[in-house]
Amino acid sequence: MSSPAKASPEIRVLVENPQTVADMRANGVTIGIPIRHEDHEGIAALYRLRDEAHAKRDWALLDSTEDMPMMMVSDSSQGDGVSWIGTAENSQAITDAAMKLVPKVQVQHERRFVFITEHLAVNLENNTVEVSGETLSFRAAHLLVKRNGQWRVKCVVEGGWGDMALLTGCSFQLGETSGTKQARTP
């Protein structure tokens, strides 16, 4: 097991010598600032674009709604949690591999946006899809970040994709580092 990273002198001062809120703010700590505006419409616009991209199977448009690098978290058929780091370079390969398994279907989304701050939010979804006469229901969560005034998906959490590395014809390779699978293009 590796030793923990050493904290910078500034971090050590804040941890070892509790400061006033004003001192915390002066050092760049903004925790506890009240949310004055929840941008539901901005996030809804993001999901209209993502839904359009899925309907058209336009993966470049879908990629434009994501803040790279992004993390994808799932679980495997063995019950192990796994994650991938998606980059601008490998995102298309990851999406292509996943979509080879998914027929073109219409997914019904029930979305609930939870704001952590004015610039961080979580989308919690209950989803329903019909595939060959069988109805599937699943949950997902997306961590969203607002950067340069635009909402983007930073992390996707959805069960059932953890064995994706075993796909035949997958156009990317996986390497393991610290329990996280990082997708790399060949």
Side-chain angles (χ1 to χ4, degrees):
M1 181 169 10
S2 63
S3 61
K6 293 185 179 181
S8 71
E10 296 82 14
I11 297 296
R12 280 199 310 273
V13 167
L14 285 174
V15 172
E16 294 170 4
N17 302 310
Q19 305 291 309
T20 67
V21 171
D23 289 338
M24 290 172 57
R25 298 283 185 262
N27 283 292
V29 178
T30 60
I31 192 168
I33 291 181
I35 300 170
R36 292 180 183 87
H37 173 68
E38 294 185 351
D39 184 14
H40 289 268
E41 180 51 39
I43 293 176
L46 167 71
Y47 282 98
R48 284 191 296 273
L49 195 58
R50 288 180 65 81
D51 290 345
E52 176 187 340
H54 277 283
K56 294 179 177 177
R57 296 178 88 79
D58 182 343
W59 309 135
L61 179 59
L62 187 66
D63 287 350
S64 76
T65 67
E66 297 168 345
D67 185 48
M68 297 294 179
M70 65 176 283
M71 179 173 271
M72 294 159 277
V73 180
S74 192
D75 56 1
S76 72
S77 60
Q78 303 300 310
D80 293 323
V82 296
S83 60
W84 296 268
I85 303 298
T87 65
E89 294 77 29
N90 67 24
S91 179
Q92 186 69 51
I94 293 170
T95 303
D96 286 346
M99 291 303 108
K100 285 180 183 177
L101 291 178
V102 179
K104 190 171 183 178
V105 294
Q106 181 68 35
V107 180
Q108 299 299 315
H109 304 279
E110 178 187 311
R111 296 180 172 129
R112 183 168 65 98
F113 308 141
V114 178
F115 287 81
I116 299 167
T117 70
E118 290 183 17
H119 308 101
L120 299 173
V122 177
N123 169 34
L124 302 171
E125 290 189 349
N126 289 317
N127 301 293
T128 305
V129 63
E130 189 171 317
V131 179
S132 302
E134 186 176 349
T135 300
L136 304 174
S137 295
F138 60 97
R139 291 182 173 167
H142 299 160
L143 176 61
L144 309 173
V145 297
K146 192 172 191 180
R147 188 181 307 280
N148 299 321
Q150 298 295 311
W151 286 100
R152 298 283 182 256
V153 176
K154 187 64 176 176
C155 179
V156 174
V157 180
E158 190 174 288
W161 295 98
D163 294 322
M164 207 166 88
L166 305 177
L167 293 175
T168 305
C170 190
S171 59
F172 62 96
Q173 301 170 344
L174 293 177
E176 296 227 6
T177 56
S178 304
T180 299
K181 294 183 178 181
Q182 184 168 359
R184 296 186 311 270
T185 51

